[in-house]
Amino acid sequence: MKNLVLGFFAVLLFSSAAFAQSYFRDGKPITEAQYKASNLNTEAMNLMRANENEKAIAVLKEALSFDPQLSQAHHNLGLAYSKVGHTQEAIDELRTAVELNPQSAMSLLTLGGAYQTSGRLQEALETYKETLKRFPDFPDKAEVKGLISKLKEEADRQKSAGGQSEADTYFRQVTTEVPVRWCSNSLPVRIFITDGQGVPNFRPEFIDIAKNSFLDWVNAAQGRISITFVSDPRNADIKVVWTADPKELPNPAEAGFADFTYRRHCLLKGTIKLLTVPMDRTQTVSTNQLRKACLHEVGHILGLRGHSPDPADVMFYSLPIEDKWLMPSKRDAETIVRLYSEPNPESLSK
Ligand SMILES: [Zn+2]
């Protein structure tokens, strides 16, 4: 039972309303430069909502040239950097936001998310714990607790996999429990994808995303796995189902969930459950986000039980914030090839 951990990332921060003419913010007089910075921050938020992150970065830098102390602009700049994959710059900006405004639980959480998605597990854990300690009444406490427990699990798993990994694969990390795979007598693996009828936020394109996630892993495995899509769930080995209710997943900090049964080293049956809502429940899940969750859970159901410690891999434990179409990495491909290359599954346990 493996799953994908989300980060706290969706929240943009407004600077408090600023008024022209005599320039007030929160009832206090502000300078014209501060007023301009506030307006630019608002403009950047609209760009980010439209996923125009590069443009937003330029506008936020301009905002900060007018008011370097505007914590919300540092926060949003950190988010924008995350979304284009500049993780170190993101962390720097979020740390500045936290320093300038220690009262912002959201900036602290987002910093935790930036550590998490760049693979800095211990710093992520410390930051989330600090958030709970400093903001005991935080409304999304359950999600933060969920994150902490998932990341602790991940830290333990990394420890049990030992320090170093094989050069080109994360085979050791995904086989810390009993190694499993779809054995030759169950190929082609029969997959049934439910139509999502009646599930809030479900979109028909999700079905192709799910299909392509399987096909991309099959390609990555270079012919060692074969699959077929079936139209009758009774004939399926793997079912893909959809839900808009985070409570249907074991942990509120998850985007999806893969459950399976196996005998000895051979997988027998599996179910993938995918969430049609992101962690910020007021938003809708984007095509790229759903693709990431889907590709990750398919990796689990094909036998990659654990997680990669490298943020560049599909099987990294955390959903990448970068908003792009994810493909299996070279290490993902070599790991699945390795798992399916053993002449017989019994030798996997050696
Ligand atoms: Zn996972």
Side-chain angles (χ1 to χ4, degrees):
M1 303 202 300
K2 291 293 141 21
N3 24 60
L4 184 57
V5 185
L6 296 162
F8 251 94
F9 264 120
V11 182
L12 295 164
L13 293 188
F14 268 113
S15 47
S16 333
F19 299 99
Q21 286 117 25
S22 47
Y23 305 123
F24 283 96
R25 187 195 286 155
D26 280 348
K28 290 182 202 123
I30 54 168
T31 65
E32 187 177 353
Q34 286 174 315
Y35 171 72
K36 281 182 181 158
S38 272
N39 285 348
L40 288 166
N41 182 55
T42 306
E43 185 186 330
M45 288 171 68
N46 290 330
L47 287 167
M48 288 173 73
R49 289 199 186 97
N51 214 15
E52 303 250 31
N53 296 302
E54 298 283 1
K55 282 186 195 161
I57 288 170
V59 172
L60 287 163
K61 281 182 177 168
E62 200 191 338
L64 289 167
S65 74
F66 284 112
D67 182 4
Q69 307 294 309
L70 187 60
S71 63
Q72 294 91 342
H74 287 286
H75 174 106
N76 292 337
L77 184 54
L79 262 176
Y81 274 135
S82 297
K83 291 195 173 190
V84 297
H86 294 187
T87 47
Q88 187 54 52
E89 286 95 334
I91 288 169
D92 293 343
E93 290 301 328
L94 289 163
R95 287 171 72 153
T96 306
V98 169
E99 275 163 32
L100 288 172
N101 183 9
Q103 296 315 311
S104 170
M106 208 37 89
S107 291
L108 199 56
L109 275 177
T110 308
L111 175 62
Y115 283 133
Q116 178 188 327
T117 52
S118 51
R120 291 162 70 167
L121 203 46
Q122 289 309 327
E123 285 154 299
L125 270 169
E126 279 158 29
T127 308
Y128 288 137
K129 283 185 200 161
E130 195 188 330
T131 310
L132 285 187
K133 207 166 95 187
R134 280 174 47 194
F135 304 95
D137 301 323
F138 186 69
D140 294 324
K141 215 161 65 179
E143 276 81 2
V144 183
K145 281 186 178 162
L147 274 171
I148 291 173
S149 94
K150 295 310 301 179
L151 294 181
K152 267 190 193 150
E153 230 173 71
E154 198 51 49
D156 291 345
R157 202 177 292 131
Q158 286 190 8
K159 220 190 257 170
S160 69
Q164 74 276 49
S165 57
E166 294 177 357
D168 304 323
T169 77
Y170 46 85
F171 185 73
R172 287 251 305 277
Q173 283 85 353
V174 292
T175 50
T176 52
E177 295 159 270
V178 180
V180 293
R181 72 182 191 195
W182 294 94
C183 295
S184 53
N185 59 355
S186 54
L187 299 180
V189 184
R190 295 162 304 173
I191 297 151
F192 176 76
I193 299 171
T194 55
D195 63 11
Q197 262 188 27
V199 177
N201 287 341
F202 178 83
R203 303 197 295 273
E205 59 173 323
F206 291 178
I207 291 180
D208 277 338
I209 293 176
K211 278 190 179 167
N212 286 321
S213 298
F214 279 99
L215 293 170
D216 287 334
W217 273 113
V218 168
N219 281 338
Q222 298 172 24
R224 289 169 177 82
I225 309 171
S226 56
I227 57 167
T228 182
F229 295 103
V230 297
S231 52
D232 185 344
R234 287 170 300 183
N235 299 332
D237 304 305
I238 296 174
K239 274 183 224 164
V240 177
V241 300
W242 314 93
T243 178
D245 181 5
K247 290 195 193 76
E248 283 192 28
L249 301 183
N251 183 307
E254 287 162 358
F257 175 69
D259 200 3
F260 47 74
T261 56
Y262 58 94
R263 190 180 303 127
R264 301 181 68 84
H265 297 282
C266 296
L267 287 160
L268 300 175
K269 290 267 175 212
T271 304
I272 291 177
K273 199 172 263 188
L274 291 161
L275 202 55
T276 57
V277 289
M279 195 160 204
D280 179 349
R281 313 294 186 208
T282 63
Q283 305 280 312
T284 56
V285 69
S286 78
T287 303
N288 285 342
Q289 282 171 319
L290 188 91
R291 157 75 175 187
K292 288 180 225 174
C294 205
L295 202 57
H296 182 96
E297 300 307 331
V298 171
H300 281 319
I301 215 94
L302 293 179
L304 302 175
R305 296 190 73 178
H307 287 129
S308 161
D310 187 334
D313 299 330
V314 166
M315 297 315 292
F316 181 56
Y317 53 82
S318 181
L319 196 70
I321 178 68
E322 202 177 342
D323 193 58
K324 63 170 190 192
W325 187 257
L326 193 65
M327 286 296 287
S329 67
K330 193 159 171 282
R331 272 159 54 91
D332 288 317
E334 285 178 10
T335 305
I336 193 124
V337 165
R338 168 94 157 78
L339 178 65
Y340 279 81
S341 293
E342 302 291 332
N344 66 72
E346 299 306 313
S347 61
L348 283 170
S349 52
K350 282 181 195 146

